[in-house]
């Protein structure tokens, strides 16, 4: 096997000012934190990419477009399935007073839960009041699968990865801790930000050396590194492909480091008007999302 060849390094999906249509592209400024720039309403220019995200033949053109609105790098229609790992960092398992798992802890998210950069995290009535339901943040390195993978070895696992992006696995702990199944508590509509860019597998040689942080209202609450994962990217892809086909467009959230809100004393919760930002290194950048509670005044975007 060989890694998936991509002719782009950093991919974004956006509405272009010139066309009012959705395009994919590569930022002209290779060092720009696209997510932060979009939130700050800075001008972002991108070389248009011809082809689709999952097409290895997609190539960067010389046509430059201006980003009017930054979107999730994958649309809901392009995501085949969203799989997530829980308790995948030793320090997070310890702070949650949960045993270190012997095998990956897997749950799924509905596609309706997925949102993009700048979109509000929506806390529904069923998860209010937030002080009781413990609405929480989780920065996560996220894998995007680029070709069908089944029964792959750990040695070959990275050859099926298209690239990496970021996510905020917003969780509601009261519902989560009521049952052993986490899908309900982590699957409400419009609660899981994804993005802001996909960095090609060819640009990240070692996915176990990616720093990641979560900042809430200007205060850094999580500060970790993917090197601390219990099950690394190779193990995760290999394990999840056993007996099961991971289709192109499959998204895999790989767990969060310590520092989550419900484990703190007193607990920190996401609430109406909050500014929540997750950042990942290696060119992925910052995912900024305001928080709104259903029935309350909407956050100003």
């Amino acid at each position: 096997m060989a890694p998936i060849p991509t002719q782009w390094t950093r991919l974004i999906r956006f509405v272009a000012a010139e066309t009012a249509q959705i395009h994919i592209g590569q930022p002209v400024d290779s060092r720009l934190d696209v997510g932060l720039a979009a939130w700050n309403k800075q001008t972002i220019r991108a070389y248009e990419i011809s082809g689709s995200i999952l097409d290895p033949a997609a190539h960067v053109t010389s046509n430059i477009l201006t980003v009017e609105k930054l979107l999730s790098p994958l649309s809901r229609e392009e995501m085949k399935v969203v799989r997530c790992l829980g308790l995948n960092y030793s320090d997070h398992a310890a702070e949650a007073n949960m045993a270190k798992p012997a095998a990956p802890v897997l749950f799924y998210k509905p596609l309706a839960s997925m949102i993009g950069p700048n979109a509000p995290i929506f806390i529904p009535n069923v998860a209010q009041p937030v002080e009781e339901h413990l609405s929480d943040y989780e920065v996560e390195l996220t894998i995007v699968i680029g070709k069908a993978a089944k029964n792959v070895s750990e040695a070959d696992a990275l050859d099926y990865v298209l690239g990496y992006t970021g996510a905020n696995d917003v969780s509601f702990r009261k519902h989560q801790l009521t049952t052993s199944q986490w899908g309900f508590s982590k699957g409400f509509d419009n609660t899981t930000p994804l993005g802001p860019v996909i960095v090609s597998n060819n640009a990240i040689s070692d996915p176990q050396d990616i720093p990641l942080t979560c900042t809430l209202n200007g205060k850094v609450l999580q500060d970790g590194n993917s090197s601390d994962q219990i099950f690394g990217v190779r193990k995760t892809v290999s394990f999840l492909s056993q007996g099961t086909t991971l289709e192109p467009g499959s998204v895999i959230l790989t767990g969060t480091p310590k520092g989550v809100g419900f484990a703190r004393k007193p607990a920190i919760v996401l609430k109406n008007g909050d500014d929540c930002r997750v950042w990942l290194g290696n060119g992925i950048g910052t995912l900024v999302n305001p928080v709104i509670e259903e029935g309350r005044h909407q956050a100003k975007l």
Side-chain angles (χ1 to χ4, degrees), residues 1-4 143-147 149 152-162 164 201 232-239 241 246:
M1 296 300 297
I4 298 171
I143 305 164
V144 179
I145 296 296
K147 61 183 176 184
V152 305
S153 67
E154 289 185 37
D156 292 336
L158 297 188
D159 294 344
Y160 296 85
V161 174
L162 177 70
Y164 304 91
N201 71 92
V233 172
R234 288 182 181 274
K235 176 67 175 180
T236 296
V237 172
S238 175
F239 179 86
S241 76
L246 303 179

Side-chain angles (χ1 to χ4, degrees), residues 72 74-84 108-116 119-124 168-170 172 183-194 251 253 289:
S72 168
L74 285 167
S75 69
R76 289 175 178 175
E77 292 73 23
E78 290 167 324
M79 299 181 210
K80 292 300 183 183
V81 67
V82 181
R83 295 179 166 211
C84 312
Y108 290 75
K109 281 182 178 283
L111 295 179
S113 71
M114 308 303 291
I115 58 176
I121 295 166
F122 188 79
I123 300 178
N168 187 350
D169 178 18
V170 172
F172 300 89
F184 182 72
S185 62
K186 290 171 171 278
F188 297 130
D189 288 357
N190 303 312
T191 52
T192 307
L194 183 77
V251 173
L253 280 65
N289 299 89

Side-chain angles (χ1 to χ4, degrees), residues 8-184:
W8 48 267
T9 302
R10 298 169 73 220
L11 182 147
I12 60 174
R13 182 171 155 269
F14 60 96
V15 176
E18 293 84 355
T19 68
Q21 301 294 317
I22 295 175
H23 300 262
I24 56 174
Q26 176 159 283
V28 172
D29 185 347
S30 62
R31 298 170 297 176
L32 182 67
D33 185 330
V34 176
L36 197 57
W39 178 254
N40 291 330
K41 303 188 184 306
Q42 295 173 231
T43 299
I44 304 168
R45 293 185 173 86
Y47 294 109
E48 183 179 12
I49 294 176
S50 176
S52 66
I53 294 173
L54 300 173
D55 180 5
H59 62 278
V60 181
T61 72
S62 59
N63 185 39
I64 296 178
L65 296 171
T66 307
V67 175
E68 179 71 23
K69 181 180 181 181
L70 185 64
L71 305 172
S72 168
L74 285 167
S75 69
R76 289 175 178 175
E77 292 73 23
E78 290 167 324
M79 299 181 210
K80 292 300 183 183
V81 67
V82 181
R83 295 179 166 211
C84 312
L85 265 59
L87 299 176
N88 196 30
Y89 287 72
S90 297
D91 53 9
H92 173 53
E95 72 174 353
N97 293 314
M98 296 181 178
K100 183 177 174 179
V105 176
L106 176 66
F107 61 96
Y108 290 75
K109 281 182 178 283
L111 295 179
S113 71
M114 308 303 291
I115 58 176
N118 301 352
I121 295 166
F122 188 79
I123 300 178
N125 287 328
V126 71
Q128 296 181 38
V130 293
E131 294 80 9
E132 174 187 341
H133 284 269
L134 301 174
S135 43
D136 212 344
Y137 50 84
E138 292 189 0
V139 58
E140 308 217 1
L141 172 65
T142 300
I143 305 164
V144 179
I145 296 296
K147 61 183 176 184
K150 184 175 182 180
N151 297 330
V152 305
S153 67
E154 289 185 37
D156 292 336
L158 297 188
D159 294 344
Y160 296 85
V161 174
L162 177 70
Y164 304 91
T165 188
N168 187 350
D169 178 18
V170 172
S171 307
F172 300 89
R173 304 302 186 183
K174 180 180 180 180
H175 287 299
Q176 180 182 0
L177 299 176
T178 299
T179 174
S180 62
Q181 298 294 320
W182 297 350
F184 182 72

